[in-house]
């Protein structure tokens, strides 16, 4: 959900820092106060369109930052921070995006937007007008079985693509056969003659060559080391010194038993030095020059290094190249047979994909009929009694999502034909359509925050009451932000914000700025009274009118509290 929104020099807002809560958040204020600008800022930071007019007059840059908590309810917070800076230039404005403090592209931000926020604003077709999104919504509504069938289609499609790629490779091999076969066979024969068996052979031979080239030095040094450790005619060896130390400690232990561990350590050291001396003596005795073996090693090293230069750079890569050449030669020899086999497998896989797409289409048709009925039932109470709605499935070329093109067709007026939803629905109709759609999807939709801009324009009474109830139900599963003029809707809010536009003196001229205030219970009562009367407290003509507005505001709050309790009881 959207936790915090910070705005600087955007439109009429010079500096604003807002914190939102879970549930239903409403923004109210006089017409033209700038309520929609707050929602526009959310759209902007998540990749929406921007122009130089978005930057506050007199400023050369604007910035919007938003913080989201994406953790499921009841789990530890997991925050995502998005920011967008607009910089004014000679050719308009350019944007800089950041995600969790690091530079990001607009595409990355827009992809993230799909699971963070969905905006239904006047004049915006948003995602709902996009046919891929309509298909995703239909599949989501179809439930687990439909999604499982869709995943199976994806697997069948991927298998077909792999076969097609294999077939294409075989066809290319046939075209290149006359040119490549001679070269590949020469390379394979050269690698085969080299009898490459182990990737480490080169390193092993280099180590053996190093030893064979220094046999004399190794013999001399091993003899000197033997003398130093064990047997030295002219000087005292390490074993003699340790033996003497052991004798001294034995005498000392007879007087002080606490030295026994030290005696044991010296004894162990003497044994180990004697063993080391014997081993180095054997090593020196066994060393002998072998010019014949050295020649063999150096010849083999030269052969392997040449192979690595041509087919490496490593011996492992040369071995892999030999195996690859073997496969390519086999493909050339059996090319026609292999191609026929793969073509047959492609045809069989194409048929399996077609059958899977047909099963998926049947699932989608069932889900489409159910969604049509449920959406019409949800939309009719929202002042859309005469609407027609249809989910159209038309065939298209198979892909990993199936072979259906899904379109939402809509008509709000009697006698008018069904047209694509995004082409003919007004902003208000689109908002209410999304409201009804979200009511159908409330428990399974992954989007965390839903935003509605003046969804209740032009409605009153029963319709406004239905909108208020629907928004509240949605807010139990999503965070909802809503700009409203309806006191019935505002009274249902969990968090209420008042948007005020005012002129501020500054030098010779006054500047217009927007403020947003989080209202406490008394301030909410006053704001609702103003929404009822259409006048600010100080402008109301009479005390009787003021009292009536206040009384009606109190009744709205009481009614909202009762309705919340009823809806919570039904939910449980």
């Amino acid at each position: 959900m959207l936790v915090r929104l910070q705005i600087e020099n955007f439109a009429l807002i010079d500096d604003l820092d807002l914190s939102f809560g879970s549930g239903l958040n409403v923004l109210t204020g006089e017409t033209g106060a700038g309520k929609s600008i707050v929602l526009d800022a959310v759209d902007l930071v998540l990749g929406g369109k921007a122009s130089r007019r978005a930057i506050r007059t007199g400023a050369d840059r604007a910035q919007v930052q938003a913080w989201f908590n994406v953790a499921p309810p009841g789990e530890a917070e997991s925050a995502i921070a998005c920011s967008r800076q607009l910089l004014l230039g000679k050719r308009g404005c350019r944007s800089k995006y950041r995600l969790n403090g690091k530079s990001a592209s607009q595409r990355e931000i827009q992809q993230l937007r799909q699971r963070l926020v969905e905006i239904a604003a006047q004049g915006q077709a948003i995602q709902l007008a996009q046919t891929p999104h309509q298909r995703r919504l239909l599949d989501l509504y179809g439930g687990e079985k439909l999604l499982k069938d869709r995943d199976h289609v994806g697997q069948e499609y991927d298998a077909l693509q792999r076969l097609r790629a294999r077939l294409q490779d075989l066809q290319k091999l046939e075209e290149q056969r006359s040119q490549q076969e001679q070269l590949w066979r020469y390379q394979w024969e050269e690698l085969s003659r080299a009898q490459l068996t182990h990737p480490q052979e080169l390193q092993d031979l280099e180590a053996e060559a190093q030893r064979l080239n220094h046999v004399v030095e190794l013999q001399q040094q091993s003899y000197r080391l033997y003398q130093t450790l064990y047997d030295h005619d002219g000087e005292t060896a390490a074993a003699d010194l340790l033996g003497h130390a052991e004798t001294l400690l034995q005498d000392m232990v007879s007087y002080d038993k606490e030295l026994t561990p030290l005696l044991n350590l010296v004894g162990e050291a003497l044994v180990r030095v004697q063993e080391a001396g014997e081993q180095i003596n054997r090593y020196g005795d066994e060393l002998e020059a072998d010019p014949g073996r050295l020649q063999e090693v150096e010849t083999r090293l030269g052969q392997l290094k040449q192979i690595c230069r041509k087919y490496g750079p490593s011996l492992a890569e040369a071995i892999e190249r030999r195996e690859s050449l073997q496969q390519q030669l086999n493909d050339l020899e059996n090319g026609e047979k292999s191609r026929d086999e793969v073509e047959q497998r492609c045809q069989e896989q194409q048929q399996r994909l077609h059958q899977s797409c047909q099963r998926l289409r049947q699932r989608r048709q069932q889900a489409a009929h159910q969604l049509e009925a449920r959406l019409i039932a949800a939309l009719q109470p929202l002042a859309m009694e005469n609407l027609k709605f249809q989910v159209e499935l038309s065939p298209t070329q198979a892909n990993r999502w199936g072979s259906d093109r899904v379109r939402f067709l809509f008509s709000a007026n009697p006698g008018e034909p069904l047209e694509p939803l995004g082409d003919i629905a007004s902003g208000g109709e689109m908002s209410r359509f999304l409201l009804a759609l979200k009511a159908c999807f409330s428990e399974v939709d992954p989007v965390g925050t839903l935003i509605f801009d003046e969804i209740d324009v032009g409605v009153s009474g029963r319709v406004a009451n239905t909108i208020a109830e629907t928004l509240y139900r949605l807010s139990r599963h999503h965070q909802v932000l809503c700009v409203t003029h309806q006191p019935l809707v505002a009274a249902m809010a969990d968090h209420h914000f008042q948007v005020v536009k005012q002129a501020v003196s500054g030098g010779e001229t006054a500047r217009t700025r927007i403020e947003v205030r989080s209202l406490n219970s008394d301030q909410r009562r006053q704001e609702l009274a103003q929404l009822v009367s259409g006048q600010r407290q100080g402008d109301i003509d009479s005390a009787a009118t003021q009292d009536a507005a206040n009384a009606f505001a109190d009744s709205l709050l009481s009614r909202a509290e009762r309705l919340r309790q009823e809806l919570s009881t039904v939910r449980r």
Side-chain angles (χ1 to χ4, degrees):
M1 72 173 187
L2 177 60
V3 178
R4 182 182 174 195
L5 183 66
Q6 192 176 63
I7 307 171
E8 297 177 19
N9 294 325
F10 175 66
L12 297 177
I13 299 176
D14 53 3
D15 187 10
L16 184 62
D17 195 337
L18 283 176
S19 295
F20 295 99
S22 59
L24 180 57
N25 297 256
V26 301
L27 292 89
T28 60
E30 294 181 352
T31 301
K35 301 180 291 298
S36 297
I37 295 178
V38 177
L39 306 187
D40 291 342
V42 179
D43 177 59
L44 180 85
V45 76
L46 292 177
K49 292 182 179 180
S51 68
R52 61 190 306 155
R53 287 179 296 180
I55 301 176
R56 183 169 168 81
T57 303
D60 60 0
R61 65 186 61 199
Q63 180 166 291
V64 180
Q65 300 180 79
W67 289 263
F68 296 88
N69 176 23
V70 294
E75 296 186 12
E77 287 193 3
S78 177
I80 291 179
C82 304
S83 71
R84 181 178 182 182
Q85 190 177 55
L86 299 180
L87 302 172
L88 194 61
K90 294 180 179 179
R91 298 181 179 180
C93 67
R94 56 189 178 91
S95 296
K96 288 185 178 180
Y97 292 94
R98 300 188 75 83
L99 182 59
N100 290 334
K102 298 180 180 179
S103 296
S105 67
Q106 184 179 34
R107 183 176 180 180
E108 290 174 319
I109 296 294
Q110 290 176 336
Q111 288 175 342
L112 180 64
R113 173 192 184 128
Q114 294 179 9
R115 66 186 182 96
L116 292 179
V117 169
E118 190 153 12
I119 301 176
Q122 296 287 342
Q124 288 185 298
I126 59 164
Q127 289 180 324
L128 190 55
Q130 302 169 3
T131 53
H133 186 61
Q134 293 172 2
R135 185 200 63 232
R136 287 193 294 269
L137 287 173
L138 177 63
D139 290 351
L140 185 63
Y141 187 78
E144 184 178 349
K145 290 183 179 179
L146 190 154
L147 294 174
K148 186 176 180 180
D149 282 348
R150 190 186 68 183
D151 291 342
H152 183 68
V153 166
Q155 294 167 5
E156 298 284 10
Y157 177 77
D158 290 342
L160 178 61
Q161 294 303 105
R162 289 192 294 269
L163 285 171
R164 285 174 172 170
R166 175 66 174 158
L167 181 60
Q168 188 175 21
D169 289 342
L170 289 173
Q171 290 170 340
K172 287 181 179 179
L173 282 175
E174 285 193 11
E175 295 171 0
Q176 299 168 354
R177 179 171 181 170
S178 60
Q179 302 173 358
Q180 293 289 347
E181 185 173 10
Q182 185 176 358
L183 173 62
W184 286 349
R185 191 166 299 281
Y186 168 79
Q187 292 175 338
W188 177 80
E189 289 174 352
E190 183 178 28
L191 286 165
S192 297
R193 285 194 302 269
Q195 297 181 338
L196 307 178
T197 57
H198 196 280
Q200 293 296 318
E201 183 184 3
L202 184 61
Q203 290 90 329
D204 293 343
L205 288 174
E206 287 175 337
E208 186 178 358
Q210 183 78 358
R211 179 174 58 80
L212 291 171
N213 275 310
H214 297 85
V215 167
V216 175
E217 291 93 327
L218 288 170
Q219 287 175 330
Q220 292 173 350
Q221 290 172 354
S222 64
Y223 180 69
R224 286 198 296 271
L225 180 58
Y226 169 72
Q227 288 183 314
T228 301
L229 291 174
Y230 193 69
D231 186 8
H232 202 302
D233 295 335
E235 299 179 9
T236 303
D240 297 331
L241 292 173
L242 285 170
H244 181 61
E246 185 180 38
T247 301
L248 290 174
L249 277 169
Q250 286 173 343
D251 292 339
M252 295 171 70
V253 166
S254 64
Y255 300 108
D256 187 352
K257 299 298 182 183
E258 292 184 2
L259 292 173
T260 300
L262 183 58
L263 174 61
N264 293 336
L265 285 175
V266 173
E268 291 174 4
L270 176 58
V271 170
R272 291 184 178 276
V273 167
Q274 289 172 339
E275 290 177 352
E278 292 172 357
Q279 289 183 24
I280 196 64
N281 188 41
R282 287 194 299 271
Y283 170 79
D285 289 343
E286 293 171 358
L287 278 175
E288 60 181 53
D290 189 349
R293 176 57 184 166
L294 178 59
Q295 180 62 39
E296 289 178 6
V297 170
E298 289 181 341
T299 300
R300 179 63 171 169
L301 279 172
Q303 182 186 23
L304 294 181
K305 287 181 178 179
Q306 183 180 16
I307 288 292
C308 288
R309 282 194 296 270
K310 294 180 69 174
Y311 303 106
S314 70
L315 199 57
E317 290 170 310
I319 293 173
E320 184 179 347
R321 175 60 177 161
R322 183 192 63 193
E323 294 171 351
S324 174
L325 285 168
Q326 179 67 66
Q327 179 62 47
Q328 289 171 320
L329 287 169
N330 290 341
D331 289 342
L332 284 173
E333 292 173 0
N334 305 299
E336 186 172 349
K337 181 180 178 182
S338 297
R339 190 190 65 180
D340 292 342
E341 290 177 353
V342 174
E343 282 182 343
Q344 179 64 30
R345 290 170 62 191
C346 275
Q347 293 174 3
E348 294 171 355
Q349 184 62 35
Q350 179 73 48
Q351 183 61 29
R352 284 193 290 271
L353 175 60
H354 176 73
Q355 292 171 354
S356 297
C357 287
Q358 291 302 308
R359 286 194 298 270
L360 178 59
R361 175 170 298 170
Q362 291 174 2
R363 295 273 191 199
R364 281 176 170 158
Q365 287 172 340
Q366 294 172 1
H369 294 323
Q370 295 170 3
L371 182 59
E372 288 168 357
R374 189 169 179 183
L375 261 177
I376 290 172
L379 283 165
Q380 285 177 338
L382 299 177
M384 300 177 75
E385 295 86 354
N386 298 312
L387 90 154
K388 290 185 291 184
F389 171 70
Q390 179 183 334
V391 180
E392 179 189 72
L393 272 67
S394 55
T396 186
Q397 185 174 357
N399 55 46
R400 63 182 344 274
W401 309 109
S403 57
D404 305 313
R405 182 190 183 197
V406 177
R407 290 198 308 170
F408 288 177
L409 303 181
F410 174 81
S411 173
N413 302 304
E416 294 298 322
L418 288 163
E419 297 286 351
L421 177 67
D423 293 347
I424 64 167
S426 66
E429 289 169 343
M430 183 71 79
S431 297
R432 277 176 276 169
F433 188 94
L434 183 59
L435 176 62
L437 187 68
K438 289 303 175 183
C440 298
F441 281 79
S442 61
E443 297 186 17
V444 294
D445 194 338
V447 174
T449 300
L450 303 176
I451 296 179
F452 299 95
D453 187 3
E454 298 186 352
I455 194 173
D456 47 25
V457 168
V459 301
S460 60
R462 177 180 56 84
V463 176
N465 184 65
T466 302
I467 290 176
E469 291 183 15
T470 305
L471 286 170
Y472 184 78
R473 286 193 180 96
L474 275 176
S475 70
R476 301 309 95 185
H477 301 284
H478 306 265
Q479 181 193 43
V480 176
L481 273 61
C482 179
V483 168
T484 183
H485 291 281
Q486 284 290 342
L488 287 167
V489 174
M492 293 294 292
D494 296 298
H495 309 279
H496 193 157
F497 300 88
Q498 181 190 47
V499 182
V500 178
K501 182 167 67 175
Q502 56 186 359
V504 180
S505 298
E508 297 179 358
T509 60
R511 294 296 305 275
T512 300
R513 67 190 303 266
I514 291 173
E515 290 185 359
V516 181
R517 305 161 184 167
S518 178
L519 304 182
N520 59 31
S521 56
D522 290 338
Q523 292 169 334
R524 282 195 72 198
R525 178 174 178 267
Q526 295 175 11
E527 180 68 4
L528 288 174
Q530 188 275 326
L531 288 174
V532 171
S533 65
Q535 295 177 291
R536 289 290 169 195
Q537 293 273 343
D539 299 333
I540 295 179
D541 296 335
S542 66
T545 303
Q546 178 70 69
D547 292 342
N550 289 338
F552 191 67
D554 290 336
S555 69
L556 285 177
L557 291 170
S558 298
R559 179 187 173 283
E561 182 59 31
R562 289 194 303 272
L563 185 57
R564 277 194 290 266
Q565 293 176 358
E566 292 173 4
L567 293 175
S568 298
T569 301
V570 170
R571 186 185 174 202
R572 288 196 295 269

